[in-house]
Amino acid sequence: MITFENVGMRYGMGAEVLRDVSFTLDKGSFHFLVGPSGAGKTTLLKLLYLAHRPSRGLINFFGRDLMTQERETLPRLRRRIGVVFQDFRLFDHMTAFENVALPLRIQGAKRAQVADHVEELLSWVGLEDRMHARPATLSGGEKQRVAIARAVINKPDLLVADEPTGNVDPEMSRRLMHLFVALNKEGTTTVVATHDDTLVRSMAAPTLRLDKGEISFLPGGSPIDPGE
Amino acid sequence: MWGRTLQFLPRDMREGLLPWVIGVMLFLCTLALACGLALGRGLERWSAGLTTNLTVQIAVIDDKERDKQTAAALTLLRATPGIVEASVLADAEVVALLSPWLGEMPFDTGLPVPTLIDVKLSRPDAVNTAGLRERLVAAAAGAQLDDHQAWMGQVLDLAAVVRLLLAGIVVMVVLCTIAIVIFGCRAGLATHRESIEIMHLMGAEDSTISHAFDQRYLSHGLKGGLVGVILAALTLYLIAHMAQRMGQGLLTASLPTGDNLMWLALLPIVSAILTMLTARVTVRRALLKMM
């Protein structure tokens, strides 16, 4: 479904942040993305959620070559991708309900169609009582769940999460991961970037490991070097 | 949030000044337009009156001779085709005309004043003034025909320059307003850059994002336009009121009033559309530089 072939990425005239990155994400697969700070995880994630084009190499998204796509076609592709940011990136002046409804509104859904769907999803992430709260009044875990709900409201084909458990306690971390697993079971290809080795081991999912801009693949269940 | 436009931009207190700045610009623009229109309307009426008017002056010191020449000139004028009326101005009117130079004075000072004959034409080109001038001098040696053309030409030239200047002021104010909106819009884009990026990543098209700015700047332009036009209308009303009290007929007749003020009501709409279009172009160009 998503293929990277010899992808290289540099910012401006700087050194390459990613070098010859090649991998494939099959439909409905679940991958962790790990690696030390500065390894290029954020850059790879940006390529995955179409915030950047690579400097070189081929990226195929849902059967389309990204390098040949016109800028005007990108919104359609992006609507098939859900993103959970480490810092949530919620709109502070909107309520939880309005934040979650945004992707549907962008696609032109009517208010009546949106309401039931958003309420159902917020209930699913345990925020049925906080629908009309603004992000400033939400805890870190609640914000993260709003961000996840926003990322999955339009049933994306690909879900990319950057350190989704980085700002929450272990119990909330487990609950969030259960959400990702449940989504993945419904067919959403999922990539979760994390530093949490315990989390990775507990899931025993295949892992993409980045180090100094180069990627390696660890099949599901492989132990992670504790020294990382 | 649930309007036709997906408004994702938070209210920015710094943008609160923009309508006031637009208001000041529109106030200046409206005053310049009103002055230009008033000047045009005043000159139109005034020149229309003068081009169908001639003045014949009989400047002869001897009273009897002056009366004789006046009678001869009147006979000639009234017999000339194209002249609908030729009448001698009363002494009181002539003295009143001289008063700005000689001050108030009684009629019987013994000072000889010329006789003035006011001539009304059926239309501006009804009479060949050069031929009439020759015939007048033949009939009354002391007669001088003034068709006001030389003086009126200078006044019209001056008026044209003033109107050009006012048009220049309007153009400069409009350009200045556009520049202010562009700066404001770029500041808004920088402030909301992260929100715009998130919208893009959620699949928003450029049009969705720029509509949010359109809506915001349409509102700024409309508010600013209303402020500017209301202030300008009050100012024009005040000037008209003061001029009326002073009895300055030309000025009060020229100022836009009543139906003529209807065009003022269009200015806030023009301001809103101009502001919105400027914002749209600025935002679209900026968005094209983003992925």
Side-chain angles (χ1 to χ4, degrees), chain A residues 52 71 78-79 91 93 105, chain B residues 1-2 203 206 287 290:
Chain A
H52 288 312
R71 186 175 175 278
R78 285 174 175 143
R79 288 175 193 180
F91 287 89
H93 63 289
R105 302 265 354 257
Chain B
M1 154 103 192
W2 289 101
D206 287 352
L287 291 178
M290 300 171 84

Side-chain angles (χ1 to χ4, degrees), chain A residues 133-153:
Chain A
R134 293 185 194 278
T137 64
L138 298 173
S139 69
E142 288 172 330
K143 285 180 192 171
Q144 192 64 287
R145 280 181 282 163
V146 172
I148 292 169
R150 184 179 69 178
V152 303
I153 186 79

Side-chain angles (χ1 to χ4, degrees), chain A residues 49-53 71 74-75 78-79 85 89 91 93-94 97-98 102-103 105-106 111 114 150, chain B residues 1-3 5-10 194-195 197-206 287-288 290-291:
Chain A
Y49 55 70
L50 300 181
H52 288 312
R53 285 184 200 263
R71 186 175 175 278
L74 293 180
R78 285 174 175 143
R79 288 175 193 180
F85 299 98
R89 297 205 191 175
F91 287 89
H93 63 289
M94 294 182 189
F97 181 97
E98 289 168 340
L102 261 180
R105 302 265 354 257
I106 286 171
R111 184 177 189 176
V114 170
R150 184 179 69 178
Chain B
M1 154 103 192
W2 289 101
T5 300
L6 177 49
Q7 186 50 271
F8 66 95
L9 298 170
E194 188 173 311
S195 300
E197 278 176 2
I198 296 167
M199 288 296 286
H200 265 153
L201 294 178
M202 286 192 288
E205 292 175 349
D206 287 352
L287 291 178
L288 281 176
M290 300 171 84
M291 184 173 166

Side-chain angles (χ1 to χ4, degrees), chain A:
Chain A
M1 189 175 81
I2 293 161
T3 309
F4 278 50
E5 279 183 48
N6 299 315
V7 169
M9 179 72 189
R10 70 170 79 234
Y11 294 101
M13 300 299 289
E16 274 199 326
V17 181
L18 295 177
R19 281 189 297 278
D20 296 321
V21 170
S22 299
F23 63 88
T24 298
L25 300 176
D26 293 325
K27 181 170 171 54
S29 62
F30 189 110
H31 288 82
F32 281 111
L33 175 64
V34 300
S37 296
K41 289 199 302 295
T42 302
T43 301
L44 182 57
L45 289 176
K46 283 182 176 175
L47 291 176
L48 275 171
Y49 55 70
L50 300 181
H52 288 312
R53 285 184 200 263
S55 308
R56 62 182 175 88
L58 293 173
I59 298 182
N60 191 295
F61 263 91
F62 315 121
R64 295 182 190 185
D65 180 3
L66 182 64
M67 301 303 274
T68 60
Q69 291 295 302
E70 294 289 328
R71 186 175 175 278
E72 290 72 29
T73 63
L74 293 180
R76 295 270 168 205
L77 282 177
R78 285 174 175 143
R79 288 175 193 180
R80 300 176 67 178
I81 303 168
V83 188
V84 181
F85 299 98
Q86 185 178 8
D87 53 356
F88 320 125
R89 297 205 191 175
L90 300 174
F91 287 89
D92 289 335
H93 63 289
M94 294 182 189
T95 63
F97 181 97
E98 289 168 340
N99 267 289
V100 175
L102 261 180
L104 292 177
R105 302 265 354 257
I106 286 171
Q107 292 181 38
K110 301 291 178 206
R111 184 177 189 176
Q113 297 171 309
V114 170
D116 288 346
H117 201 166
V118 174
E119 284 172 12
E120 185 187 332
L121 191 57
L122 280 170
S123 298
W124 187 63
V125 296
L127 291 175
E128 60 272 27
D129 299 329
R130 306 289 281 152
M131 278 186 204
H132 303 294
R134 293 185 194 278
T137 64
L138 298 173
S139 69
E142 288 172 330
K143 285 180 192 171
Q144 192 64 287
R145 280 181 282 163
V146 172
I148 292 169
R150 184 179 69 178
V152 303
I153 186 79
N154 56 0
K155 298 192 172 107
D157 293 318
L158 171 66
L159 178 65
V160 180
D162 187 6
E163 297 283 357
T165 57
N167 296 301
V168 294
D169 57 50
E171 170 57 24
M172 182 55 66
S173 172
R174 272 193 297 279
R175 287 178 61 184
L176 292 178
M177 285 315 296
H178 283 140
L179 285 177
F180 288 128
V181 170
L183 281 165
N184 178 245
K185 282 181 178 167
E186 289 186 15
T188 300
T189 305
T190 308
V191 177
V192 177
T194 183
H195 278 107
D196 189 344
D197 296 340
T198 315
L199 184 72
V200 175
R201 283 197 198 93
S202 69
M203 297 286 292
T207 301
L208 299 167
R209 180 177 152 185
L210 264 177
D211 195 5
K212 294 177 183 168
E214 293 178 358
I215 201 159
S216 55
F217 180 76
L218 302 170
S222 296
I224 302 294
D225 183 353
E228 268 181 1

Side-chain angles (χ1 to χ4, degrees), chain B residues 169-220:
Chain B
I169 289 172
V170 170
V171 170
M172 282 192 287
V173 168
V174 169
L175 290 177
C176 202
T177 308
I178 289 173
I180 288 166
V181 172
I182 290 172
F183 285 133
C185 206
R186 284 184 182 164
L189 280 164
T191 304
H192 303 302
R193 188 177 180 86
E194 188 173 311
S195 300
I196 293 167
E197 278 176 2
I198 296 167
M199 288 296 286
H200 265 153
L201 294 178
M202 286 192 288
E205 292 175 349
D206 287 352
S207 57
T208 306
I209 293 167
S210 78
H211 281 164
F213 279 90
D214 285 356
Q215 191 188 50
R216 183 64 56 86
Y217 279 80
L218 184 78
S219 164
H220 289 334

Side-chain angles (χ1 to χ4, degrees), chain B residues 5 11 13 18-19 46 48 51 89 92-93 119 134 142 153 158 208 210 221 224 274-275 289:
Chain B
T5 300
R11 291 199 180 280
M13 295 304 286
L18 194 59
W46 191 56
T51 49
L89 259 64
E93 289 177 282
V119 180
E134 283 178 15
L158 178 67
T208 306
S210 78
L274 182 71
T275 308
K289 292 176 187 164

